[in-house]
Amino acid sequence: MGRNWWGKCLLLVFLTVLSGMYVYPTIANLDLEKTKFPFKQKINLGLDLQGGLYMVLVVDFNKVYREVIDRQTTSLQERLKEKLITVKGVRTQKDGLPADDPHVVVEFDQAKRDEIYNLVKKEFWNLRLAVENPGKLEMGLATEYRNEIRDKTINQSIEVIRNRIDEFGVSEPIITSQGTDRVVVELPGVKEIDRAKDLIGQTAKLEFKIVDDKSMTPQQVAGLIAEAEKKNNITFKEGQKFSDYVKSINEAVKGKIPAEDEIAFERTKAAKGQEGAHIPFLLHSKAGVTGDDLQDAQVGFDQETQVPEVNFSMNPRGGVLMGKLTEANKGNRMAIVLDNLVQSAPVIQSQITNRGRITMGGSRASEDIMKEAKDLAIVLRAGALPAQLDFLEQRVVGPSLGQDSIKKGAYASLVGCLVVFLFVSFYYRVSGLIAVFSLMLNVLFVLATLVGMDATLTLPGIAGIALTVGIAVDSNVVIYERIREELRHGKRAHGAVEAGFQKAFRTILDANVTNAAAGLVLLMYGTGPIKGFAVTLLIGIVTTLFTAVFVCKVVFDLYLRSLENRNAAETVSI
């Protein structure tokens, strides 16, 4: 044996041992926290193998479009004032229009028509002219801008959900878009289902609003709400949407509170089976500072009570806005509002700049408070969802189903591989055994690569491994038939083997490149199980080229050398 062969042999031994060490923790089912084995990583199992949570969420785009139109209305008002263009009014029109097509309505003297029209055309390109009457323009969102909003909202929602799930600690989550308004979330191995749902669904809209105690005292606000509930038959029971209750209350008290104010509530959780209380606040509708300028959020503890709290810091712009807000409202209460619910409303004692805290309350078990504080910090750090997400579908995949899938998938793959191994060994004899050896190494290399890449093995992925074996056998067949052809032409064993491997390589490469192209398309445009299949297929193509061409050649050289030592080089079994 020459140095070249020994070098190849050592490389093969090294890769085989290394792959075996990567795969051993999975095969032996080691406890990674207790084991002293140097490689502490297992193959990640997908949702269909280990169970978990499958959810489909739908984006409320009607609400998104309404919010965009509201912002456009405010911007147009400000620009008209800056340009000194006098108008009768600028408002948002929603009633009597399709839910997904609200309008900005501008009323003006007809003499101002050209000035207003030119301003809108120049600076508000994202609006389209819907209706024009003398002294009145109605504008909706342009089609291209609506599509841009839709794509951006879906992509931002996926990114925010991914950030939250990553911090939640789920390995290999699958988060993809479906259609034009849906997001599919797969969380393998998740056991705290309700907590995961709450974490994903929170919009985390953080606002700091001043409590208007000057217009009405807390007792007067409580009395006004009690009167509105009785007069309008408004009630709230646990299990109902609290946001609908708040909306009904604000509509009922309209005209009885200042126009720039709104009613918000602080909700307190009670023991299981009991109804929690909701404390009303009269707040200025406009937020002085929002969570858009939030820089960081971490869990801390109150120095006096040792109750968990969320400490947050603002960026420089947020620090300036917070400083102005608190300086102008010393002695007033400032409500910290998260998702339209008041978390706390401390009195502003002095100017606050770039740091603050959200108290969690101490009426519940400390473990529950800590978990709530951690989740709130995660949501604030990860960012706010750009739109409300409603749960359209939810399926909990149990571990028994996953285990059943593993057993049946593994059984089917083993039977298929065994049939292939027996056929190859019977048809090609000793050379077939060499092929079987390379096929077993092929599977080992695929599994080791999955561990090394921290990829996820799914049920379709197991099918991909079985297909890899078939592709590898096909490569061996091409090589062996070329060798047989060279032997029929009168070449000796060494020459036939060399020529067979060389001439078959291009054919094998062409076939695998074609398969790889198909696998790349599946990986790029497929979702869920299709991607799992594509991953193992692509890995299998690379390992097949290595084992069919490199491994088989190394073993064949050893086989031929042993025949030469017995002076029987012409009896090679192919």
Side-chain angles (χ1 to χ4, degrees):
M1 298 291 178
R3 290 184 177 179
N4 188 37
W5 183 88
W6 280 109
K8 293 179 180 178
C9 184
L10 289 174
L11 175 61
L12 177 59
V13 171
F14 170 76
L15 292 177
T16 303
V17 172
L18 183 64
S19 298
M21 295 181 72
Y22 265 101
V23 175
Y24 178 72
T26 301
I27 296 176
N29 196 22
L30 298 180
D31 187 339
L32 299 182
E33 295 182 359
K34 297 179 180 179
T35 183
K36 295 182 179 179
F37 195 73
F39 287 86
K40 299 185 185 329
Q41 192 171 358
K42 292 183 179 181
I43 296 176
N44 295 317
L45 300 180
L47 182 69
D48 52 357
L49 295 181
Q50 66 169 318
L53 182 62
Y54 175 90
M55 294 178 291
V56 179
L57 301 95
V58 62
V59 179
D60 184 359
F61 276 107
N62 294 339
K63 185 176 181 181
V64 173
Y65 295 143
R66 290 195 297 269
E67 291 176 350
V68 172
I69 279 292
D70 287 338
R71 291 196 295 268
Q72 292 294 320
T73 301
T74 302
S75 297
L76 182 56
Q77 284 177 327
E78 293 176 353
R79 287 299 293 151
L80 289 171
K81 289 180 181 179
E82 291 174 2
K83 292 286 187 177
L84 302 178
I85 301 175
T86 304
V87 295
K88 295 180 179 178
V90 181
R91 57 185 172 84
T92 300
Q93 177 69 37
K94 300 172 185 176
D95 297 333
L97 296 171
D100 63 343
D101 189 25
H103 288 175
V104 177
V105 179
V106 185
E107 295 178 324
F108 51 88
D109 291 330
Q110 187 62 23
K112 299 284 186 178
R113 189 266 182 195
D114 290 340
E115 289 184 74
I116 297 171
Y117 186 85
N118 290 332
L119 175 65
V120 172
K121 185 177 180 181
K122 182 178 179 181
E123 299 188 21
F124 293 84
W125 56 269
N126 44 22
L127 296 177
R128 76 180 196 284
L129 182 61
V131 179
E132 181 176 3
N133 293 315
K136 183 178 180 181
L137 291 178
E138 289 190 29
M139 295 164 287
L141 296 175
T143 303
E144 290 184 3
Y145 188 54
R146 286 164 59 89
N147 294 335
E148 181 182 331
I149 292 171
R150 185 177 291 273
D151 293 341
K152 185 178 179 181
T153 301
I154 288 289
N155 292 334
Q156 284 183 343
S157 297
I158 291 174
E159 189 61 31
V160 170
I161 292 173
R162 190 180 305 280
N163 290 338
R164 295 181 182 181
I165 293 303
D166 286 345
E167 293 204 47
F168 187 56
V170 179
S171 62
E172 295 298 321
I174 299 174
I175 306 166
T176 56
S177 61
Q178 185 182 78
T180 58
D181 62 348
R182 298 182 183 183
V183 177
V184 177
V185 181
E186 297 182 21
L187 306 179
V190 169
K191 297 179 181 178
E192 297 177 283
I193 305 297
D194 292 335
R195 185 183 174 199
K197 286 179 58 180
D198 291 341
L199 189 62
I200 291 171
Q202 288 186 50
T203 54
K205 185 179 181 182
L206 181 65
E207 299 173 305
F208 299 87
K209 297 182 176 181
I210 300 300
V211 180
D212 190 3
D213 288 327
K214 296 180 179 178
S215 298
M216 299 180 72
T217 66
Q219 292 76 16
Q220 290 174 324
V221 174
L224 180 62
I225 291 173
E227 179 185 343
E229 287 179 334
K230 184 177 180 180
K231 184 177 181 180
N232 298 277
N233 195 26
I234 301 173
T235 58
F236 172 76
K237 294 182 180 180
E238 292 295 332
Q240 298 177 342
K241 290 185 68 174
F242 191 71
S243 58
D244 292 341
Y245 167 78
V246 176
K247 183 178 179 181
S248 299
I249 289 294
N250 276 284
E251 289 178 354
V253 300
K254 190 175 293 184
K256 299 178 181 179
I257 61 174
E260 67 277 6
D261 285 0
E262 65 180 1
I263 300 291
F265 292 87
E266 177 183 0
R267 297 187 67 189
T268 59
K269 293 185 179 181
K272 190 173 182 180
Q274 298 181 4
E275 190 173 311
H278 40 277
I279 305 169
F281 290 84
L282 182 64
L283 308 178
H284 291 313
S285 301
K286 187 176 180 181
V289 184
T290 68
D292 293 338
D293 295 309
L294 191 75
Q295 184 169 324
D296 192 19
Q298 299 290 339
V299 175
F301 292 90
D302 187 285
Q303 294 182 356
E304 295 181 0
T305 63
Q306 294 303 305
V307 173
E309 62 185 18
V310 177
N311 299 316
F312 61 87
S313 59
M314 314 294 291
N315 61 24
R317 175 178 175 274
V320 172
L321 292 175
M322 181 68 78
K324 291 181 179 179
L325 180 68
T326 53
E327 178 67 23
N329 291 278
K330 286 181 181 178
N332 296 329
R333 289 190 296 166
M334 181 175 70
I336 301 173
V337 184
L338 181 67
D339 294 339
N340 299 316
L341 290 176
V342 177
Q343 299 296 315
S344 61
V347 176
I348 302 173
Q349 302 290 350
S350 60
Q351 185 184 34
I352 304 171
T353 53
N354 61 347
R355 293 186 182 278
R357 64 177 181 169
I358 300 175
T359 57
M360 308 305 296
S363 60
R364 288 158 285 152
S366 58
E367 184 178 344
D368 292 338
I369 301 174
M370 175 58 76
K371 189 174 290 187
E372 185 178 335
K374 286 182 178 178
D375 288 348
L376 177 56
I378 288 174
V379 170
L380 292 177
R381 283 199 305 272
L385 285 166
Q388 179 179 336
L389 295 177
D390 296 321
F391 289 91
L392 190 66
E393 180 184 353
Q394 171 192 330
R395 292 203 305 268
V396 179
V397 181
S400 59
L401 174 61
Q403 189 62 37
D404 183 61
S405 299
I406 292 175
K407 289 180 179 179
K408 290 185 177 180
Y411 179 76
S413 298
L414 286 174
V415 171
C417 291
L418 183 61
V419 171
V420 172
F421 291 168
L422 290 175
F423 175 79
V424 172
S425 300
F426 174 78
Y427 190 76
Y428 289 111
R429 292 175 288 175
V430 177
S431 301
L433 293 176
I434 295 175
V436 169
F437 174 72
S438 70
L439 292 174
M440 294 175 67
L441 286 184
N442 196 352
V443 175
L444 176 64
F445 291 155
V446 170
L447 296 177
T449 305
L450 286 173
V451 177
M453 293 176 61
D454 200 24
T456 300
L457 179 63
T458 61
L459 194 60
I462 295 177
I465 294 176
L467 180 61
T468 295
V469 174
I471 295 173
V473 169
D474 183 61
S475 300
N476 288 119
V477 170
V478 171
I479 293 172
Y480 289 170
E481 291 303 318
R482 291 295 301 182
I483 294 174
R484 280 183 169 180
E485 185 179 336
E486 296 297 328
L487 288 173
R488 285 195 295 268
H489 289 165
K491 284 190 177 182
R492 294 175 61 85
H494 269 297
V497 170
E498 290 291 338
F501 273 93
Q502 288 179 4
K503 293 181 180 180
F505 177 74
R506 178 173 293 181
T507 303
I508 295 171
L509 182 63
D510 288 346
N512 281 281
V513 166
T514 304
N515 290 334
L520 285 172
V521 172
L522 293 177
L523 185 65
M524 291 172 61
Y525 299 104
T527 59
I530 296 176
K531 280 194 173 184
F533 175 80
V535 168
T536 52
L537 177 64
L538 290 172
I539 294 173
I541 288 171
V542 175
T543 57
T544 294
L545 284 172
F546 178 76
T547 54
V549 177
F550 182 85
V551 174
C552 281
K553 184 64 169 57
V554 170
V555 180
F556 246 109
D557 288 342
L558 178 63
Y559 170 52
L560 292 176
R561 178 66 64 180
S562 67
L563 290 179
E564 286 181 356
N565 292 337
R566 298 199 303 266
N567 296 318
E570 299 301 332
T571 61
V572 60
S573 298
I574 298 180

